[in-house]
Amino acid sequence: MANENELAKLEQSLATWQKKVEQSLAKFPERGAFAANRLYTPLDTAGKDYAADIGLPGEYPFTRGIQPTMYRARLWTMRQYAGFASAEESNRRYKYLLSQGQTGLSVAFDLPTQIGYDSDHPLAQGEVGKVGVAVDSLADMEALFDGIPVDKVSTSMTINAPAAVLLAMYIAVGEKQGVAPARLSGTIQNDILKEYIARGTYIFPPTPSMRLITDTFAYCSQHIPKWNVISVGAYHIREAGSTAVQEVAFAFANAIAYIEAARAAGLKIDDFAPSISWIFTAHLDLFEEVAKFRAARRLWARIMKERFGAHDPKSQMLRFHVHTAGSVLTAQQPDNNTVRITWQALAAILGGTQSLATCARDEAIGLPTEASARMALRTQQLLAHESGAADTVDPLAGSYYVESLTDGIERQAREYIAKIDALGGAPAAIEKGYIQREMAESAYRYQRAIETGVRTVVGVNKFAAAEPQAADFLQVDPTVGEHQSARLAVLRAKRDNIKVAAALDALRREAAGDANLMPCLVDTVKTYATLGEICGVLREAFGEYKAEADI
Amino acid sequence: MKNIRVLVAKPGLDGHDRGAKVISRALRDAGMEVIYTGLRQTPEQIVETALQEDVDVVALSLLSGAHTHLFPRVVELLRNKGLGGILVIGGGVIPEADIPALKAVGVAEIFTPGASTAAVAEFIRNNVRQE
C-alpha cells in the first residue's frame, strides 16, 4: 500500500526498466506467449482497501481464510475418496486408510447406485462396483460402516440424485450403532444442477430434484445440525473442461439457485446457509489456484451478505473440500503424477482448504491400489508436517501477483454470474444450454492448446518416452455384479415384504403430495426396501430427465 | 468420395462426456460428419443409431471401467445386424492390460488419456472401410 508519491516514482522507474527489458528481449526472446504479465508491482494492487478487501483471517470477507489461526490449530481433514466393489471390500479399505492416519471418510458409490438402479438391473451390467461401492439397500450400508463408529468419524458421500435416500440409510446405520441423528457429522453432495451440466448422474427432472434438495435442507436444519446438506460441486464443472473463473462462477450460480429455492420454500437464510459446503478442484497453475480459492471466499461472503442478507458469519464463510484434478493426470509416466499432485495439494493448502483429497498416481489407468492410495495420503502428510506450508496463515497474501489474480478472478466471476442472472438464473441458463456451451468451448480450447504445443504436458507432448505401463493397478473382481445380485435375491426372500410394500406405497403417496419426504424415506429404508425400488417409485412420481446431445 | 460418418457414443451409465464432446468437435473440424448419441446408451441403442445413421465408424467413449463388458457387446450386435464392416474404436480410462482382449473381439484401436485428436482422425482415415 504505497502512497501516491511512491506510486508515481515507481511508474517512472518502470518506464526506465522497460527499456532494459527491450534490450534483453532482443538478445533473449521470451519462451512464448504467457497469460500473466511479466511483472507485478504495487501499481497492480493500488487502490485496494486492505480492511475491506483482504482483512484478517476468520473475519469478513474471509479472503485470508475462515478461521483465525487456520492450520496452526488444526490441520485440514485428510479425506481420500475411496470405494469399490462390495461394501465389505470398501469397509476394509476405509479401515486401512483410517489406520494410516486419514481423518475422515469419503464414499465413492458405483454408477448404478448413483443413478438409483439395483445391481441386478439390466442397465447395471458391467458397472457394478466399478467406480465405487455398490449399495443396494440398508444391508450394504450397514456392512460398509461395520466397525466404524459413525459418531467418531465424519463421512462425506458423493451422491446426488438419490442423496436423500442414502442420507436416510446413514441415519438408520447411526441408529443401529446407537448414535442419534444429531450426533452425525458429514456431507452429502446433493448438488443436482451440476449433474445436468458436468457429471451426468441425474435421475429426475430439475423441479422434483430441487424439491428433494430443499427437503434435505429443511430436515437436516431440524434434526442433523452438524450435517452439510450440500457440497456444491465446482470440481466437476472444472473437470468437464471449464476455466478457473468458470469453475467459481457456474458453481456459485448453481448455489444461488438452491438458496433461492430454499427461501421460496420458507426457510430462513441463516438457518440453512451454514450447512452449505463446497468442493473445488486444485488444477495445475499454482498461483491461479491459490488466487481462485481466495477470490471465491471473498466473493461468496459478499454474495451472502449483500444479495441474501445473511448475518451469521457461518453463512458467509465458504467452507470447502478440495480434490486435486484427476483430468490432468497422464497414463504416460505415472510417476510424474505424484509430482503434479504434490503441487496441486500445495495450492489447496496455500488457498486455505478445510479438507483435501489427493488423487493417486495411477488414476489415469484405473482405480488406485493400496500402495498408490497410501502414497496419495502420504503426500498430504508430508506437506502438512514437513513443508512448512501449513505453519502460517494465508502466506501468499500481499503478493502483488496473487492479489492481482484474486481481484481478476472475483471480477470475472461476478460478470459471469450477472450474465446467468440475466438469463433467468442457473436452471434457465442450463436449459438454454448456455453453461454447457461455454464449458465445451473451454474444453476444446484446452485440448487444442495441448495439441498445438502451446501447453506442454510433460511425458505426453514433450519428453515422451516409450515405456511399458505398470501392471500393478487395481482390478475389481469381475464377479462382483453376480455376488451383489445373489445378495439381493437373498435379501428379497428374507425381509418382510408386506412391510416393504406398505412403505413403498406410503412413499408413493407422499411423493405425489408436497410434504417433506425425508421422514418417509427413513422409514422406507429401514424395511430394507432397495435403492432401486425406492428410486423406482420416485421415477414413477417425478418422471426422468432426458438430456439433449448437443455438441 | 463421401465424407466419413462417425457415431460418437457413450455406452453404459458413465456421465463423463468431456472427451466425447472434444473428440466429436475435433473430428468434425477434420472434415468428418459426426453424430453424438449423448449419455447412457445401451449397446442396442448404439447399434440401432449406427444403422439408422449409416455410419462408417463407431467411436465408444467410456471412463467407468465397464468397457470389458460393453465394448465387445457393441461389436457383437453390429455383426449380428450385418454391420461388421463398421470400424469400431474406443477411448477412455482403459488399462493397457485390457486392450489385447478388446482388439481380439474386433475393437480396432483403443485411445487412452493423452492421445491426440489428430491421431484419432488419422487412424480413422487409414482404417475406415467405405463403400
Side-chain angles (χ1 to χ4, degrees), chain A residues 490-512:
Chain A
V490 172
L491 178 91
R492 290 200 175 100
K494 264 176 51 185
R495 66 185 184 182
D496 183 341
N497 281 305
I498 295 170
K499 259 191 179 171
V500 171
L504 291 172
D505 278 343
L507 180 63
R508 193 170 289 118
R509 281 193 303 276
E510 296 264 310

Side-chain angles (χ1 to χ4, degrees), chain A residues 143-382:
Chain A
L144 192 60
F145 291 96
D146 181 53
I148 298 173
V150 293
D151 54 342
K152 298 279 181 342
V153 67
S154 77
T155 302
S156 171
M157 293 188 267
T158 296
I159 193 76
N160 293 279
V165 188
L166 274 297
L167 172 60
M169 289 186 188
Y170 196 74
I171 292 168
V173 166
E175 280 182 23
K176 289 228 160 169
Q177 292 191 7
V179 178
R183 284 166 58 216
L184 297 175
S185 69
T187 309
I188 37 175
Q189 199 161 76
N190 208 21
D191 169 8
I192 198 67
L193 290 173
K194 64 101 173 49
E195 296 296 330
Y196 301 126
I197 56 174
R199 195 167 168 276
T201 68
Y202 43 75
I203 306 178
F204 316 113
T207 304
S209 296
M210 295 296 272
R211 172 196 173 180
L212 283 171
I213 290 169
T214 310
D215 283 358
T216 54
F217 278 27
Y219 184 86
C220 291
S221 70
Q222 267 194 305
H223 302 285
I224 327 181
K226 280 193 288 177
W227 198 265
N228 296 308
V229 294
I230 193 167
S231 168
V232 187
Y235 181 83
H236 317 88
I237 290 169
R238 184 70 175 281
E239 285 286 277
S242 296
T243 63
V245 168
Q246 290 171 335
E247 177 187 356
V248 173
F250 297 162
F252 278 17
N254 287 346
I256 288 168
Y258 298 127
I259 291 173
E260 282 172 352
R263 294 218 302 180
L267 300 180
K268 288 206 182 67
I269 187 82
D270 283 326
D271 286 346
F272 68 91
S275 66
I276 298 174
S277 65
W278 299 78
I279 169 169
F280 284 87
T281 195
H283 212 267
L284 289 172
D285 187 321
L286 179 68
F287 296 107
E288 182 180 59
E289 291 302 287
V290 175
K292 176 189 79 182
F293 297 123
R294 301 175 80 249
R297 244 187 332 259
R298 182 163 74 204
L299 179 55
W300 187 248
R302 287 173 167 165
I303 289 172
M304 291 306 287
K305 189 173 177 187
E306 292 161 12
R307 180 169 184 155
F308 293 114
H311 296 298
D312 185 346
K314 287 203 170 78
S315 302
Q316 300 164 346
M317 289 176 191
L318 186 92
R319 291 178 303 118
F320 57 90
H321 170 76
V322 171
H323 195 132
T324 60
S327 62
V328 303
L329 303 182
T330 62
Q332 298 83 351
Q333 307 178 22
D335 283 338
N336 295 348
N337 293 331
T338 300
V339 184
R340 290 186 180 102
I341 292 158
T342 305
W343 87 72
Q344 291 174 310
L346 178 64
I349 296 161
L350 296 174
T353 192
Q354 277 60 64
S355 154
L356 179 61
T358 31
C359 286
R361 59 188 278 285
D362 43 6
E363 283 187 35
I365 301 168
L367 289 173
T369 62
E370 192 170 279
S372 68
R374 185 181 57 229
M375 185 63 229
L377 176 61
R378 292 286 182 262
T379 304
Q380 294 199 38
Q381 292 162 334
L382 285 159

Side-chain angles (χ1 to χ4, degrees), chain B:
Chain B
M1 201 170 94
K2 74 176 176 91
N3 283 341
I4 297 171
R5 284 174 68 79
V6 184
L7 178 66
V8 173
K10 285 288 301 176
L13 303 179
D14 174 33
H16 297 89
D17 59 357
R18 173 181 179 169
K21 285 179 173 172
V22 165
I23 209 80
S24 294
R25 189 153 159 196
L27 295 179
R28 198 174 274 175
D29 287 355
M32 300 180 196
E33 290 175 27
V34 181
I35 303 115
Y36 171 48
T37 61
L39 301 179
R40 292 198 209 164
Q41 299 290 303
T42 62
E44 287 78 7
Q45 286 170 320
I46 291 168
V47 170
E48 189 54 37
T49 309
L51 180 69
Q52 299 282 330
E53 296 284 351
D54 188 26
V55 297
D56 309 297
V57 182
V58 172
L60 301 165
S61 164
L62 192 60
L63 287 79
S64 76
H67 52 269
T68 47
H69 177 77
L70 293 167
F71 287 8
R73 185 84 186 120
V74 171
V75 175
E76 183 193 342
L77 289 171
L78 283 172
R79 288 210 180 111
N80 293 351
K81 291 255 181 190
L83 300 172
I86 290 180
L87 179 72
V88 180
I89 58 175
V93 178
I94 294 168
E96 256 175 33
D98 290 351
I99 295 174
L102 294 173
K103 287 193 173 171
V105 297
V107 181
E109 190 56 278
I110 293 289
F111 297 91
T112 54
S116 78
T117 59
V120 177
E122 194 189 333
F123 182 86
I124 290 174
R125 273 205 204 89
N126 292 339
N127 292 277
V128 72
R129 253 204 297 172
Q130 280 186 291
E131 284 99 57

